[in-house]
């Protein structure tokens, strides 16, 4: 392993350790988290794969003025985004694992569009051409010194190696793009049966992306349907705790239509921006998963706790995305690295939804070439080496 890769792994695992320590400290302040997890799990079991609920969500969104599209594949989702974007050449977007899944930014850039990530972590990944190391903290594998040096080279100006200065510089750069953009793209943590889009964030950028441009495009998976806003907010609290250690994010956006006023004769009149809202619901294999032995995978809240606690990810980094994300990649035809899973069970133990990821990974690779490779790999790997890998990973 070269020095640069080693430094990235050290920085990433240092960040994950800080997260775990914050969670342990705050668990005393929020003892209700465990009970909340059980209630959210029950709701996800009922909502995920519920076609009747999906229909209701789409109808409610349309009734509230959203343009709603159900797209079977990533190709169709990207195609619909391109149709909505039209002739625009600048797009601003917020953090979204679904847009990463369909490689939306890359597809737009191929067609000559300038795409600016407005989340600090994603902007760093974009500018520095890095691979994300965590779903909610994509740049945690980069040290402050490394970021400052590389940003200074990219922008041609000296940026001091201080987190506050780096954030200040990037925010100004991002704000300039938001002011010029006519199209904003976000993901969504939930879409509800009342016709609402729910998004949680900490930086404040999502509000700018959805409210300043003329057009706002939401891209999210069909498993993100919820029977009510109340259920979605409970899930948001849980996701926030397991992603950051705090029971609430700085912001929870609940958007149920374009801006409007009823101040004149109580007539609803549209006003301000966005003037056009499009919701793209992505299937991309999710329906098949919902009707298979891997159904509970879709109960995932996207907190990334499985990744932050995965020994294999802590050792292999981007080669093994970890936990639920490694399994989803394999199920949807992506990079197959399941041979690197240690079957330690830490992802299941740290998951707020108690997803049995180890069992599902085991079931998927049994009888496959991946499984056979793993067996042969473990035969020559002596006990001392296995112990050292686990010791490094679990002791960080």
């Amino acid at each position: 392993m070269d020095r640069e890769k080693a430094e990235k792994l050290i920085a990433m695992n240092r960040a994950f350790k800080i997260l775990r320590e914050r969670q342990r400290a705050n668990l005393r302040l929020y003892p209700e988290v465990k009970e909340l997890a059980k209630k959210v799990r029950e709701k996800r079991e009922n909502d995920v794969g519920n076609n009747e609920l999906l229909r209701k969500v789409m109808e409610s969104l349309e009734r509230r003025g959203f343009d709603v599209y159900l797209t079977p594949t990533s190709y169709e989702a990207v195609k619909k985004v391109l149709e909505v974007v039209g002739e625009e050449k600048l797009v601003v977007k917020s953090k979204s694992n679904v847009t990463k899944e369909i490689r939306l930014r890359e597809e737009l850039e191929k067609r000559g569009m300038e795409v600016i990530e407005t989340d600090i972590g994603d902007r760093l990944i974009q500018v520095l051409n890095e691979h994300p190391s965590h779903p909610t903290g994509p740049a945690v594998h980069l040290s402050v010194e490394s970021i400052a040096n590389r940003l200074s080279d990219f922008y041609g100006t000296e940026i001091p190696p201080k987190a506050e200065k780096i954030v200040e510089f990037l925010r100004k750069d991002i704000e300039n793009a938001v002011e010029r953009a006519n199209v904003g793209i976000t993901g969504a943590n939930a879409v509800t049966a009342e016709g609402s889009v729910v998004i949680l964030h900490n930086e404040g950028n999502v509000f700018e992306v959805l409210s300043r441009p003329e057009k706002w495009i939401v891209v999210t998976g069909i498993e993100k349907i919820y029977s009510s806003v109340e259920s979605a907010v409970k899930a948001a609290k849980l996701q926030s705790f397991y992603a950051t250690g705090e029971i609430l994010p700085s912001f929870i956006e609940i958007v149920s239509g374009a801006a409007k006023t009823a101040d004149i004769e109580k007539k609803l009149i549209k006003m301000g921006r966005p003037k056009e809202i499009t919701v793209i619901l992505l299937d991309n294999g999710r329906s098949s998963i919902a009707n298979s032995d891997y159904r509970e995978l879709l109960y995932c809240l996207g907190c990334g706790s499985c990744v932050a606690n995965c020994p294999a990810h802590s050792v292999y980094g981007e080669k093994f995305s970890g936990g639920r994300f490694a399994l989803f990649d394999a199920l949807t035809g992506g990079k197959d690295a399941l041979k690197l899973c240690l079957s330690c069970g830490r992802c299941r133990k740290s998951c707020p939804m108690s997803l049995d990821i180890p069992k599902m990974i085991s079931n998927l690779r049994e009888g496959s070439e991946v499984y056979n490779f793993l067996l042969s790999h473990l035969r020559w790997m002596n006990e001392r080496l296995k112990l050292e890998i686990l010791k490094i990973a679990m002791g960080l």
Side-chain angles (χ1 to χ4, degrees):
M1 183 184 296
D2 61 40
R3 182 183 180 85
E4 183 182 355
K5 287 183 178 179
E7 289 176 348
K8 288 179 180 179
L9 286 175
I10 291 170
M12 179 183 73
N13 285 295
R14 185 187 301 123
F16 290 164
K17 182 180 180 181
I18 291 171
L19 169 60
R20 290 192 291 268
E21 289 173 347
R22 188 187 303 123
Q23 286 175 334
R24 283 194 291 269
N26 285 346
L27 193 57
R28 295 191 295 269
L29 301 175
Y30 313 120
E32 71 272 17
V33 162
K34 298 297 182 182
E35 188 60 33
L36 180 62
K38 293 178 183 178
K39 293 178 180 178
V40 173
R41 165 83 190 213
E42 289 174 1
K43 288 290 186 181
R44 301 310 292 139
E45 289 175 353
N46 178 71
D47 292 351
V48 169
N50 186 330
N51 290 329
E52 183 179 342
L53 177 60
L54 176 60
R55 226 172 5 252
K56 186 175 181 181
V57 167
M58 294 178 68
E59 290 171 356
S60 296
L61 288 170
E62 288 172 345
R63 189 166 57 251
R64 289 186 171 275
F66 295 84
D67 295 322
V68 185
Y69 301 92
L70 181 60
T71 55
T73 65
S74 58
Y75 171 81
E76 294 294 334
V78 172
K79 181 180 177 182
K80 181 52 65 178
V81 171
L82 289 169
E83 288 178 10
V84 178
V85 171
E87 299 300 316
E88 296 294 336
K89 293 300 181 183
L90 172 63
V91 173
V92 289
K93 67 181 291 291
S94 67
K95 185 187 297 171
S96 162
N97 288 320
V98 174
T99 60
K100 287 187 177 77
E101 176 188 333
I102 64 176
R103 294 181 57 79
L104 182 60
R105 174 167 60 81
E106 292 82 354
E107 291 297 327
L108 294 178
E109 289 174 339
K110 278 181 188 177
R111 291 158 176 82
M113 297 179 197
E114 182 183 9
V115 183
I116 303 296
E117 298 284 358
T118 62
D119 173 84
I120 294 296
D122 275 345
R123 183 59 176 158
L124 286 171
I125 293 298
Q126 179 184 21
V127 168
L128 303 181
N129 195 28
E130 286 283 340
H131 190 280
S133 54
H134 188 267
T136 63
V140 295
H141 61 292
L142 301 174
S143 68
V144 169
E145 292 78 11
S146 171
I147 291 171
N149 290 335
R150 295 172 65 183
L151 284 182
S152 296
D153 290 340
F154 181 87
Y155 285 102
T157 185
E158 189 66 26
I159 300 174
K162 294 183 179 180
E164 294 80 4
K165 294 295 183 182
I166 292 170
V167 170
E168 180 184 352
F169 180 88
L170 288 176
R171 286 309 305 165
K172 289 179 180 178
D173 181 50
I174 290 167
E175 286 167 3
N176 177 265
V178 172
E179 288 291 335
R180 295 184 289 117
N182 285 321
V183 180
I185 300 177
T186 73
N189 297 90
V191 283
T192 77
E194 297 102 332
S196 298
V197 175
V198 181
I199 311 173
L200 49 153
H201 59 112
N202 284 306
E203 296 182 15
N205 60 308
V206 169
F207 180 76
E208 300 294 318
V209 170
L210 70 86
S211 65
R212 285 187 179 274
E214 296 279 337
K215 298 178 180 179
W216 171 33
I217 304 172
V218 182
V219 185
T220 195
I222 58 172
E223 80 279 16
K224 295 299 183 182
I225 57 173
Y226 284 76
S227 56
S228 68
V229 169
E230 290 81 4
S231 294
V233 171
K234 287 178 181 178
K237 292 173 69 175
L238 199 61
Q239 179 182 353
S240 178
F241 181 81
Y242 279 85
T244 68
E246 295 291 341
I247 197 66
L248 283 172
S250 295
F251 306 94
I252 299 180
E253 308 291 348
I254 302 175
V255 185
S256 304
K260 58 181 76 75
T261 180
D263 286 341
I264 301 176
E265 296 182 344
K266 284 299 178 184
K267 295 178 181 178
L268 288 174
I269 302 171
K270 285 187 177 181
M271 56 179 288
R273 299 182 178 186
K275 295 180 179 178
E276 181 182 326
I277 307 175
T278 302
V279 177
I280 298 172
L281 298 170
L282 177 69
D283 189 323
N284 207 33
R286 287 166 172 80
S287 292
S288 297
I289 294 173
N291 293 305
S292 73
D293 294 337
Y294 304 96
R295 172 185 170 81
E296 71 170 343
L297 176 64
L298 300 179
Y299 304 162
C300 172
L301 303 179
C303 65
S305 182
C306 55
V307 178
N309 288 278
C310 177
H313 181 65
S314 71
V315 172
Y316 293 110
E318 66 185 62
K319 290 183 179 179
F320 183 67
S321 50
R324 168 257 192 239
F325 298 91
L327 179 57
F328 186 80
D329 285 348
L331 284 171
T332 54
K335 184 173 63 175
D336 186 359
L338 297 185
K339 61 181 178 290
L340 300 178
C341 174
L342 299 172
S343 300
C344 65
R346 283 188 160 229
C347 52
R348 180 181 61 233
K349 184 178 179 181
S350 63
C351 176
M353 295 291 93
S354 300
L355 304 184
D356 198 346
I357 302 298
K359 181 180 178 181
M360 288 188 278
I361 288 179
S362 177
N363 289 343
L364 185 60
R365 67 188 180 188
E366 275 188 23
S368 69
E369 292 182 10
V370 174
Y371 180 68
N372 293 329
F373 177 86
L374 177 68
L375 288 179
S376 62
H377 184 67
L378 290 177
R379 286 192 190 102
W380 64 257
M381 183 185 284
N382 62 51
E383 293 300 319
R384 182 180 177 83
L385 182 56
K386 283 191 286 187
L387 181 63
E388 286 300 313
I389 289 177
L390 287 171
K391 184 177 170 184
I392 292 171
M394 298 166 70
L396 291 167

